[in-house]
Amino acid sequence: MSAASARRRYALVQFLMWLPPGLMMAPMVLLMSARGLDLGEIGLVGAAYSVTIVVLELPTGGLADVVGRRTVLAVGTGFSAVGLVVMALADSVWLFFVASLFKGVARALSSGPAQAWYVDALHAAEGPDADLKPGLAVGSAASSTALLGGVLAGGLVPLVLPGDEVLRLSVPVWCGAVAAAAALVAVVVAMPEPRRSTSRGGPARSRAAARLGEILTDVPLTIRDGFHMAVRDRGLARLLLVSAAGGMMLAAIETLTPVRLAELTGRLESGSTVYAFVAAVGFAANAVGSSVAPLVARLLRTSTRAAVAAIAVAAASLGGLAASVALSGTAGIVAAGVAYFLVFAALSVEELVRGELIHLRVESARRATVMSVDSLQLQFGGLLITLGLGPLTTGLGIGGTWAAVAVLILVSSLLFVRLPARRVVPVPAPTRT
């Protein structure tokens, strides 16, 4: 497979994987509310999603390194499709809870395998010195484009369709289930992997049992080795810690912005619609930032300088969002949109160059596991800030909370200063004979 083919396939898979979350984003809370859930129950459903990811993130990353990226990603897209179907049909808190569990499993399964597959494919085509940034940028832009289009469609479709309100709100979720099924097909067809050898001799059932035993043994070992790698390599540990700070920032923005927009518009429904457009601006910024990240790294000459500059821009932009709470009406909405664009464009630059720095330190056999550690850090950061949002907003208000998080993000840029140099030449994962 050529490098260009690997990039195209990676971009397609990324687009289809992120389209379902985009489609359900705007109507999700309103659908649960329309079917009788109160805010406490909606919070329980959201917590089930986060806890599922935290519990399964490392095991699923290790599983991808043992049984293959395509297999794990296909299972993940299958869980996504089923979870969205359950969500579209749910009429009680427990069914929404089950849907959230399925979506959490899907997120944990799909957090690292696609990117790990692309890096391995590119190394196979061009060698270990291949430039990762262009392909990673294409994949990030594709996922951002999917989220942008999905959130706009999810926010607008219920407004233009006739009929019952609950049915209209469920239509984007059904569309997300269809998109998840398409992603499953794309993963199976577009992500070829070398066939892994099986034990020789004996009946088919014995070989299958032996393979299952190998998997159950190898996954914990792979998780242990990947986690130890992240702890022992001080540079890698720093890069992963940045992800926790990023999770805090994303949680603070994504949780408080809908509340702020509802205050500006005066109604929850109109605030949700406006949030769909503001979120779309953020996803567009992700696509732009991912596209220009390689250029930014070239202009600043190193990836670490590009990451520090991007974090500084993101912190300053979040500070601007904090200051915008003094505005009202249209001016406040416009200010939120501008701040969203700058924050997410800068974050996407930082994420891309940080991802490259991580891959340069990780061998192929542990790549998906380390990406799961990175995703786990993001979830932990988000969980910490979510637990503290109540006291923070009570004491500081929305603007003060954003300002405090902006300072925290700016401090995290120090983790890139004098980053220990280390480069691991990727090697293929061992196969059993």
Side-chain angles (χ1 to χ4, degrees):
M1 182 190 305
S2 68
S5 177
R7 280 195 296 270
R8 288 193 298 269
R9 293 165 187 248
Y10 176 54
L12 173 64
V13 169
Q14 287 290 91
F15 181 88
L16 291 174
M17 278 176 48
W18 286 102
L19 185 57
L23 286 166
M24 75 175 182
M25 185 176 297
M28 180 172 61
V29 172
L30 287 176
L31 178 62
M32 288 188 280
S33 179
R35 286 182 170 162
L37 276 66
D38 59 32
L39 289 178
E41 291 170 331
I42 292 172
L44 176 64
V45 170
Y49 174 78
S50 297
V51 171
T52 302
I53 295 173
V54 169
V55 171
L56 295 180
E57 191 67 75
L58 285 178
T60 54
L63 189 66
D65 280 330
V66 173
V67 304
R69 326 312 194 186
R70 180 173 66 176
T71 300
V72 170
L73 195 56
V75 174
T77 54
F79 268 98
S80 178
V82 174
L84 289 169
V85 169
V86 175
M87 180 179 173
L89 296 172
D91 57 1
S92 69
V93 63
W94 298 112
L95 283 177
F96 279 110
F97 188 84
V98 170
S100 193
L101 291 178
F102 272 83
K103 291 188 295 175
V105 172
R107 181 69 180 89
L109 286 167
S110 60
S111 63
Q115 190 174 115
W117 175 87
Y118 168 70
V119 173
D120 288 344
L122 187 64
H123 284 159
E126 296 187 346
D129 295 322
D131 186 2
L132 303 178
K133 289 189 290 293
L136 295 178
V138 169
S140 181
S143 59
S144 298
T145 301
L147 286 168
L148 185 155
V151 74
L152 285 178
L156 292 175
V157 165
L159 297 179
V160 300
L161 289 178
D164 177 70
E165 178 186 39
V166 176
L167 177 61
R168 288 187 281 119
L169 287 171
S170 68
V171 169
V173 182
W174 282 112
C175 293
V178 173
L184 172 59
V185 174
V187 167
V188 172
V189 173
M191 291 179 59
E193 281 190 301
R195 183 183 297 275
R196 292 172 178 262
S197 59
T198 57
S199 303
R200 296 177 182 174
R205 180 175 297 179
S206 298
R207 293 198 301 270
R211 182 57 183 150
L212 178 60
E214 293 170 4
I215 292 172
L216 294 176
T217 301
D218 285 356
V219 169
L221 293 177
T222 301
I223 293 171
R224 182 201 64 188
D225 292 346
F227 189 78
H228 286 175
M229 182 191 306
V231 172
R232 289 194 303 266
D233 184 344
R234 289 181 298 168
L236 182 59
R238 285 200 206 177
L239 293 170
L240 295 172
L241 190 58
V242 173
S243 187
M248 294 181 183
M249 183 175 187
L250 289 174
I253 294 174
E254 294 174 352
T255 303
L256 296 179
T257 300
V259 178
R260 169 62 180 158
L261 293 176
E263 292 177 354
L264 289 173
T265 60
R267 295 175 56 202
L268 290 176
E269 295 84 353
S270 55
S272 178
T273 302
V274 172
Y275 177 64
F277 283 96
V278 171
V281 169
F283 294 137
N286 274 336
V288 172
S290 298
S291 299
V292 303
L295 175 61
V296 172
R298 285 197 299 271
L299 290 176
L300 296 180
R301 298 187 178 180
T302 68
S303 292
T304 53
R305 290 179 184 173
V308 171
I311 290 177
V313 172
S317 302
L318 183 55
L321 183 62
S324 73
V325 298
L327 303 174
S328 60
T330 303
I333 295 173
V334 172
V338 172
Y340 243 64
F341 183 89
L342 294 175
V343 165
F344 282 92
L347 279 180
S348 62
V349 172
E350 182 272 328
E351 279 297 299
L352 190 138
V353 295
R354 188 177 66 88
E356 181 191 40
L357 292 171
I358 290 174
H359 285 304
L360 291 176
R361 294 172 178 269
V362 179
E363 62 192 33
S364 174
R366 302 291 178 261
R367 197 180 307 285
T369 301
V370 172
M371 295 308 297
S372 288
V373 174
D374 185 56
S375 180
L376 184 62
Q377 292 281 82
L378 187 75
Q379 294 295 329
F380 270 132
L383 183 60
L384 287 175
I385 200 67
T386 300
L387 292 174
L389 276 181
L392 282 173
T393 53
T394 299
L396 303 176
I398 291 178
T401 301
W402 279 335
V405 175
V407 173
L408 176 65
I409 288 297
L410 188 60
V411 171
S412 74
S413 66
L414 297 176
L415 293 168
F416 287 96
V417 176
R418 295 187 178 182
L419 193 68
R422 182 187 174 198
R423 190 175 190 281
V424 176
V425 178
V427 296
T431 58
R432 296 180 181 267
T433 56

